[in-house]
Amino acid sequence: MIKASLEKRKKITKLSQLPQGASCRAGVLVDKNAGWRNKCPVFDPDKCIGCHQCYMYCPDGVISKKGKKIQIDYDFCKGCGICEKICKTGAIYMEEER
Ligand code: SF4
Ligand code: SF4
């Protein structure tokens, strides 16, 4: 069983082969947990080149692929800022939570 799973993983060579969300879909969670976030990622689609690095690195799996761009589920984003750090084009930047 494990061997079969590892074999399947080895065949993944493109981002398009990965699911829309990087981990579990946020909708599976029952409690919104963004209330303690003090910074919020802002997404500028005009600067996004669709590399999906933010999707790969978001530790909470709250960035999902949306066509060639991305979308952030703000109900479950904890505001860690990793997406801002990983984005090379400045398409994501952190702002004070309002
Ligand atoms: S890392 Fe930046 S450029 Fe790449 S998909 Fe995410 S927002 Fe777009
Ligand atoms: S701030 Fe952190 S949790 Fe929120 S979308 Fe970016 S990487 Fe994910």
Side-chain angles (χ1 to χ4, degrees):
M1 182 78 166
I2 292 173
K3 191 176 174 190
S5 175
L6 288 174
E7 286 301 316
K8 199 174 173 187
R9 264 192 224 176
K10 282 181 190 169
K11 290 177 187 162
I12 295 174
T13 57
K14 297 177 186 168
L15 276 169
S16 58
Q17 292 172 282
L18 293 172
Q20 185 186 4
S23 57
C24 67
R25 292 185 59 206
V28 173
L29 299 173
V30 289
D31 292 322
K32 295 179 183 178
N33 59 0
W36 44 272
R37 181 179 62 215
N38 57 17
K39 288 205 170 180
C40 181
V42 178
F43 174 56
D44 180 350
D46 292 336
K47 290 184 180 172
C48 178
I49 57 171
C51 66
H52 290 144
Q53 289 299 300
C54 53
Y55 154 90
M56 295 291 284
Y57 281 91
C58 172
D60 286 354
V62 301
I63 297 179
S64 54
K65 296 188 284 183
K66 187 176 182 189
K68 294 191 174 182
K69 310 277 179 171
I70 57 104
Q71 66 181 7
I72 300 169
D73 187 338
Y74 289 102
D75 285 344
F76 300 101
C77 163
K78 64 186 175 191
C80 67
I82 289 174
C83 52
E84 179 193 49
K85 296 276 183 216
I86 207 74
C87 180
K88 301 289 185 232
T89 65
I92 299 180
Y93 54 95
M94 302 301 286
E95 274 191 353
E96 292 296 321
E97 185 74 35
R98 288 177 220 158

